[in-house]
């Protein structure tokens, strides 16, 4: 019972409602019983008073036995006595009750014959009239009347309890239906739960559950596509590595062996880079699903740090890597993710810019937020291809530089995670590609 009251909403409602009905019925029956007893006493007193006032008229009375055949003298309801002013009893109803030969005017209670009598006396100029009634008889009659008054409450209370039981069970039926729907599902069934016929208090919960199922379904499908694409993309470099190992085994001279080793090293490097990019993308998507909290990040400091890290790669290709403009800029986000975003932006620009070209980073604070731009002097991306390059493993046909096709997909995932918009356009200043990311003002990014 304790577990039911603690964990079961249905049990808790039924327990408290049924107990409340029982207590209310008992209280109402007790009040009705006591009120009926009181009203019965008032009626009996009024009856005695009216009888006494009727008998004081002075009409001659005879000592008749007013009991019916078979009546017990001890159960006679009323006893009547009449005296003259000088104390001579001139009338007494036939009864076995030995009442005192005196009269106290008005109502009084007298003990006699081991019981208590309710007596009413009235005096006139010619006689004194006394009406007496056994209190046991009165209480028995009043009790029967009170029980008949309270009996309907005792009958209606169980009926009301059954009605409450049915109403509570029927009202919680939709919850049981939702529970059965969820319990009968397979592990991969992420379709929405039916919201039809749900109470207003439960419908928001089921609605949020459906939204959660939708998000999980989207993430699950994305992971399935990701795994399928990753398996497809890894097949080619692994096959190439296998061939390069075979070539190395068959190499005759030192020159041939050196070429095979160099090709094998390059293949391993490409495979390592692809796996690293895959892991980065998977972490970013997992971070977005988990909803990790954000904090203030100094984007200017991250930009300068990233430029320093990428300076060696730019110098190796003779590319002028610089900072065109830098405003103090703070955004709400995750520092590690933003660092990956900056590195991928600069790495892509350096990779696809011809040797001796230029790559500039620009960071500006505006009233609408923070604008981060990376421009290069490369060939750029044709307008029809600018949307497709955000797809995983997609590479622009005819690109001279090799790559995994994941750089811009990673950048897009991180930008979306931070509530930023990402656009690709032609650089008006350098002629190549301009990647622009617009971060919302501090305080508007969801956490």
């Amino acid at each position: 019972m304790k577990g039911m009251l603690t964990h079961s909403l249905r049990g808790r409602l039924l327990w408290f409602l049924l107990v409340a009905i029982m207590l209310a019925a008992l209280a109402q029956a007790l009040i009705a019983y006591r009120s009926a007893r009181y009203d019965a006493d008032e009626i009996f007193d009024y009856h005695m008073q009216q009888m006494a006032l009727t008998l004081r008229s002075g009409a001659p009375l005879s000592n008749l036995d007013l009991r019916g055949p078979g009546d017990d003298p001890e159960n006679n309801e009323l006893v009547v006595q009449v005296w003259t002013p000088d104390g001579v009893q001139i009338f007494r109803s036939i009864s076995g009750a030995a009442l005192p030969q005196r009269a106290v005017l008005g109502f009084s209670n007298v003990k006699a014959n081991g019981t208590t009598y309710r007596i009413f006396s009235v005096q006139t100029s010619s006689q004194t009239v006394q009406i007496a009634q056994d209190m046991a008889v009165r209480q028995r009659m009043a009790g029967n009347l009170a029980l008949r008054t309270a009996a309907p409450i005792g009958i209606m209370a169980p009926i009301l309890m059954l009605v409450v039981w049915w109403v509570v069970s029927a009202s919680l039926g939709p919850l049981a239906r939702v529970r059965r729907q969820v319990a009968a599902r397979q592990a991969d069934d992420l379709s929405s739960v039916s919201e039809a016929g749900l109470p207003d208090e439960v419908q928001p919960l089921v609605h949020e559950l459906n939204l959660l199922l939708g998000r999980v379904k989207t993430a699950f499908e994305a992971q399935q596509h990701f795994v399928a694409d990753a398996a497809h993309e890894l097949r080619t470099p692994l096959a190439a590595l296998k061939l390069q190992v075979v070539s190395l085994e068959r190499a005759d001279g030192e020159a041939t062996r050196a070429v095979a080793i160099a090709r094998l090293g390059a293949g391993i490097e490409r495979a390592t880079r692809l796996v690293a990019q895959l892991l980065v993308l998977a972490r970013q998507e997992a971070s977005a699903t988990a909803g990790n909290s954000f904090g203030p990040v100094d984007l200017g400091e991250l930009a300068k740090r990233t430029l320093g890290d990428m300076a060696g790669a730019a110098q190796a290709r003779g590319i002028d890597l610089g900072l065109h403009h830098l405003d103090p800029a703070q955004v709400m986000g995750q520092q590690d993710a933003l660092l990956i975003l900056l590195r991928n932006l600069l790495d892509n620009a350096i990779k696809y810019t011809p040797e001796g070209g230029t790559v500039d980073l620009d960071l500006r604070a505006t009233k609408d937020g923070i604008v981060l731009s990376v421009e290069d002097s490369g060939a750029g991306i044709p307008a029809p291809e600018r949307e497709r390059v955000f797809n995983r493993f997609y590479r622009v046909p005819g690109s001279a530089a090799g790559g995994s096709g994941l750089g811009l997909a990673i950048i897009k995932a991180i930008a979306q995670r931070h509530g930023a918009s990402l656009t690709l356009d032609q650089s008006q200043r350098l002629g190549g590609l301009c990647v622009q990311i617009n971060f919302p003002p501090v305080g508007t990014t969801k956490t």
Side-chain angles (χ1 to χ4, degrees), residues 374-377 386 425-435:
V374 174
E375 300 177 80
D376 61 60
S377 59
R386 288 174 187 167
D425 203 350
Q426 183 177 3
S427 173
Q428 299 297 322
R429 189 169 56 86
L430 299 179
L433 180 67
C434 174
V435 182

Side-chain angles (χ1 to χ4, degrees), residues 237-250 259-268 270:
L238 291 178
L241 287 177
K242 184 177 180 180
L243 291 175
Q244 288 161 3
V245 169
V246 173
S247 299
L248 180 60
E249 290 176 348
R250 295 178 178 178
V259 172
I261 292 175
R263 290 177 178 175
L264 179 61
I268 293 175
R270 285 194 298 271

Side-chain angles (χ1 to χ4, degrees), residues 19 49 59 64 74 77 92 137 155 208-209 244 258 264 278 301 309 326 351 386 412 426 436:
V19 168
Q49 186 178 16
L64 298 177
E74 296 298 327
E77 181 181 352
R92 185 178 189 279
V137 176
I155 296 174
E208 292 298 327
L209 175 62
Q244 288 161 3
L264 179 61
L278 287 172
E301 289 298 321
D309 293 340
L326 180 65
K351 184 185 301 181
R386 288 174 187 167
K412 182 178 180 181
Q426 183 177 3
Q436 181 173 298

Side-chain angles (χ1 to χ4, degrees), residues 68-101:
D71 286 349
D72 186 354
E74 296 298 327
N75 292 331
N76 195 19
E77 181 181 352
L78 296 175
V79 178
V80 181
Q81 297 184 102
V82 183
W83 294 276
T84 61
D86 55 1
V88 178
Q89 188 179 62
I90 60 175
F91 176 82
R92 185 178 189 279
S93 60
I94 298 175
S95 174
L99 295 174
Q101 300 300 311

Side-chain angles (χ1 to χ4, degrees), residues 388-422:
R388 301 182 63 187
V389 294
F390 292 116
N391 298 332
R392 298 167 182 170
F393 308 111
Y394 181 79
R395 289 182 289 272
V396 178
S399 296
S404 62
L406 290 173
L408 287 175
I410 293 173
I411 294 170
K412 182 178 180 181
I414 297 175
Q416 290 179 341
R417 172 66 179 141
H418 288 75
S421 62
L422 175 62

Side-chain angles (χ1 to χ4, degrees), residues 156-382:
M156 292 302 298
I159 296 177
L160 181 59
M161 294 171 71
L162 290 176
V163 171
V164 168
W165 186 289
W166 178 81
V167 169
V168 170
S169 299
S171 299
L172 295 177
L175 286 178
R177 173 172 58 82
V178 172
R179 178 186 60 80
R180 289 192 298 269
Q181 287 183 9
V182 176
R185 291 179 173 223
Q186 299 297 325
D188 57 349
D189 185 2
L190 298 174
S191 59
S192 298
V193 178
S194 174
E195 300 181 21
L198 293 177
D200 293 340
E201 293 79 6
V202 179
Q203 193 169 18
L205 175 62
V206 177
H207 180 68
E208 292 298 327
L209 175 62
N210 286 334
L211 292 179
L212 175 61
L213 288 174
R215 292 193 294 270
V216 173
K217 183 178 181 180
T218 301
F220 185 68
E221 292 176 349
Q223 288 298 322
Q224 286 182 320
H225 293 311
F226 176 80
V227 171
D229 292 342
H232 175 74
E233 289 297 321
L234 284 172
R235 188 179 296 115
T236 300
L238 291 178
L241 287 177
K242 184 177 180 180
L243 291 175
Q244 288 161 3
V245 169
V246 173
S247 299
L248 180 60
E249 290 176 348
R250 295 178 178 178
D252 295 333
E254 289 297 328
T256 306
R257 184 179 299 275
V259 172
I261 292 175
R263 290 177 178 175
L264 179 61
I268 293 175
E269 183 179 352
R270 285 194 298 271
T272 301
R273 179 178 176 81
L274 175 59
V275 171
Q277 292 284 72
L278 287 172
L279 292 176
V280 169
L281 183 58
R283 281 197 299 267
Q284 292 308 312
E285 291 183 343
S287 176
T289 304
N292 294 337
S293 59
F294 287 179
V297 177
D298 190 338
L299 198 58
E301 289 298 321
L302 283 186
K304 289 187 285 187
R305 174 181 168 184
T306 307
L307 287 171
D309 293 340
M310 303 301 297
Q315 186 176 4
R317 302 192 67 237
I319 292 176
D320 179 15
L321 177 63
L323 187 60
H324 182 256
H325 184 87
L326 180 65
D327 286 339
Q330 189 177 72
V331 297
M332 296 297 295
Q334 295 173 307
Q335 180 169 317
D336 293 341
L338 291 174
L339 187 60
I340 293 172
L341 179 143
L342 287 167
R343 284 180 177 174
N344 274 275
L345 281 174
L346 294 178
D347 182 65
N348 275 359
I350 293 172
K351 184 185 301 181
Y352 290 98
T353 299
E355 294 186 5
T358 302
V359 174
D360 283 341
L361 186 146
D362 189 282
L363 185 62
R364 298 178 185 271
T366 69
K367 62 178 182 180
D368 296 325
I370 307 300
V371 179
L372 172 66
S373 301
V374 174
E375 300 177 80
D376 61 60
S377 59
I381 298 177

